[in-house]
């Protein structure tokens, strides 16, 4: 057996002050690869921080009190009201930034997608209602179309995790980077956080030579962008604004000129796109203004009284629901990546498979563990002039979260939403679509209803499922 680089004694010295030396219980049985793996995982952990999280000593926030003081955030509404500039001004400003090469794209695709139950990375899920294009392809086609329209190469930073990295890289390589230039795409991996036993706070082991680790949440994007040189790459390219989306929303308008324009005209460091909540206790993050700062209060932390509060005109005070679409300044991300406590951790109670003291596998059927995750939207309170842009769900939000059979957020609902939106574009351009057929428009054919209207012939009629594409 070759010698492992780190000795058991060294590791014991790191672990014992935190009472976590138990993770060395199988050390003597491990080969050098197993020892190296475990030692590398231990080296990545900030044990002082973990102690605080386990003891619950990290700064906890009184969301109920915050919610009681919360007001509607500074925003522009879907009808264009609320801002000192017009929607047309915003589009023009956003287009100028795109054409000047000041915009980059970030896609977060590191989640484990447990609810969907798809055994590959979620980005590889076929979502095109007619084309069966994957989620990754949806966004790649948009970036190609944007690149062609504004004559630029938009850099694309794609975040993966241990759970999705290898397959995602293989998929991009096998598919010629989905039509993008390889140097335009930078795939980078987010960090991990260990899961601990909910009762004892002890680190759980996934196997004898590995801790039970999971991705550190989409808030891990900040550190991962910085660590992997993406922020430097953006700086080198002259990119000032990053358009951020999550992989599971095929209607996400990546690099939307209007959203980027509103962000710039508001002199905002971080702007978030929202949809109007349909009812007070809807299960979304509530974007609110608290003590002069934009914050997101999760539905689970929102008391009913605050959820029901209305403004003078009878509208919900907390009307803005988070959809995970943001524009963030590169400078701001650079600043935040330097500050270790910039983003708090959130706890989640989960079922985590592990090996017990004796090395037997345990697959719990009730939550046994605490996981820790950071959320990207916790950047909002630190951002200067954080701003909110309302969009219509039919144009911007169709999340793919749940397996078929669920009542919301399934792939078939998302496909219908894509087809309904594109049907509307065709009809507004004077075309006709038979009821009950599916339609889909590739952004390389038309990025907007206006572009479509210039392309389709008079008396355009669709009688069976139809895909308008560029070929
Ligand atoms: P969700 O919070 O919906 O999680 O992620 P998920 O992993 O996709 O699904 P479940 O909860 O296991 O069913 C929202 C977005 O954030 C990304 C996901 O890939 C998705 O695009 N994400 C989430 C990450 O990139 N990393 C994470 O650690 C967590």
């Amino acid at each position: 057996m070759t010698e492992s680089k780190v000795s058991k004694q060294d590791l014991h010295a790191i672990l014992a002050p935190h009472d976590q030396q138990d993770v060395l219980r199988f050390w003597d049985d491990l080969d050098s690869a197993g020892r190296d793996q475990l030692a590398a995982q231990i080296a990545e952990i900030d044990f002082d921080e973990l102690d605080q999280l386990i003891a619950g000593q990290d700064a906890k926030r009184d969301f109920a009190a915050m919610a009681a003081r919360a007001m509607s955030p500074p925003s522009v509404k879907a009808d264009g009201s609320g801002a000192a500039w017009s929607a047309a001004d915003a589009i023009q400003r956003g287009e100028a930034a795109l054409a000047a090469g000041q915009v980059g794209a970030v896609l977060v695709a590191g989640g484990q997608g447990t609810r969907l139950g798809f055994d590959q990375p979620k980005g590889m899920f076929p979502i095109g209602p007619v084309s069966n294009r994957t989620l990754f392809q949806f966004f790649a086609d948009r970036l190609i179309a944007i690149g062609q329209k504004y004559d630029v190469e938009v850099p694309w930073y794609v975040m993966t995790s241990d759970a999705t990295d290898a397959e995602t890289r293989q998929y991009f390589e096998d598919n010629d980077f989905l039509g993008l230039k390889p140097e335009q795409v930078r795939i980078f991996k987010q960090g991990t956080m260990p899961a601990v036993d909910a009762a004892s706070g002890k680190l759980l082991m996934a196997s004898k030579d590995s801790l039970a680790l999971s991705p550190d949440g989409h808030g891990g994007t900040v550190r991962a962008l910085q660590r992997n040189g993406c922020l430097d790459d953006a700086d080198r390219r002259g990119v000032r604004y990053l358009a951020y989306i999550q992989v599971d929303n095929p209607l996400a308008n990546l690099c939307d000129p209007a959203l980027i324009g509103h962000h710039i005209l508001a002199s905002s460091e971080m702007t978030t796109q929202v949809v109007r909540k349909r009812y007070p206790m809807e299960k979304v993050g509530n974007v609110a203004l608290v003590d002069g700062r934009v914050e997101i209060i999760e539905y689970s932390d929102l008391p009913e009284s605050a959820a029901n509060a209305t403004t003078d005109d009878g509208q919900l005070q907390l009307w803005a629901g988070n959809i995970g679409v943001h524009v963030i300044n590169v400078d701001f991300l650079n600043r935040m990546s330097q500050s270790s406590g910039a983003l708090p951790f959130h706890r989640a109670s989960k079922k985590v498979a592990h090996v017990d003291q004796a090395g037997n596998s345990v697959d719990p059927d009730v939550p046994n563990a605490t996981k820790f995750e950071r959320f990207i939207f916790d950047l909002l309170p630190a951002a200067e002039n954080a701003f909110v842009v309302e969009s219509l769900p039919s144009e911007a939000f169709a999340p793919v979260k749940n397996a078929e059979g669920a009542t919301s957020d399934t792939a078939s609902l998302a496909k219908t939403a894509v087809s309904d939106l594109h049907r509307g574009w065709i009809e507004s351009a004077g075309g006709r679509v038979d009821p009950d057929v599916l339609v889909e428009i590739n952004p390389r054919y038309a990025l907007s209803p206006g572009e479509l209207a210039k392309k389709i012939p008079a008396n355009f009629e669709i009688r069976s499922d139809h895909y308008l594409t560029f070929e």
Side-chain angles (χ1 to χ4, degrees), residues 279-298:
Y279 48 93
M281 289 302 279
E282 191 170 346
K283 289 188 171 180
V284 288
N286 294 265
V287 190
L289 187 70
V290 184
D291 305 332
R293 293 269 149 199
V294 175
E295 303 260 358
I296 290 195
I297 304 176
E298 284 288 6

Side-chain angles (χ1 to χ4, degrees), residues 46-87:
D46 178 340
F47 282 97
D48 291 333
E49 179 183 74
L50 188 66
D51 282 349
Q52 287 199 342
L53 292 173
I54 293 167
Q57 284 164 349
D58 49 318
K60 286 234 180 63
R61 314 190 66 199
D62 184 349
F63 287 108
M66 278 169 57
R69 301 197 297 278
M71 299 188 301
S72 301
S75 64
V76 57
K77 304 284 165 30
D79 64 6
S81 63
W85 52 87
S86 68

Side-chain angles (χ1 to χ4, degrees), residues 43 49 53 79 125 158 173 182 184 186 224 248 281 284 326 340 343 351 368 375 415 419 458:
E49 179 183 74
L53 292 173
D79 64 6
F125 191 90
V158 179
E173 266 159 40
Q184 190 179 354
R186 212 169 161 124
D248 50 16
M281 289 302 279
V284 288
H326 314 288
S340 64
L343 293 178
K351 291 184 272 187
N368 61 314
F375 297 158
K415 288 181 188 181
S419 175

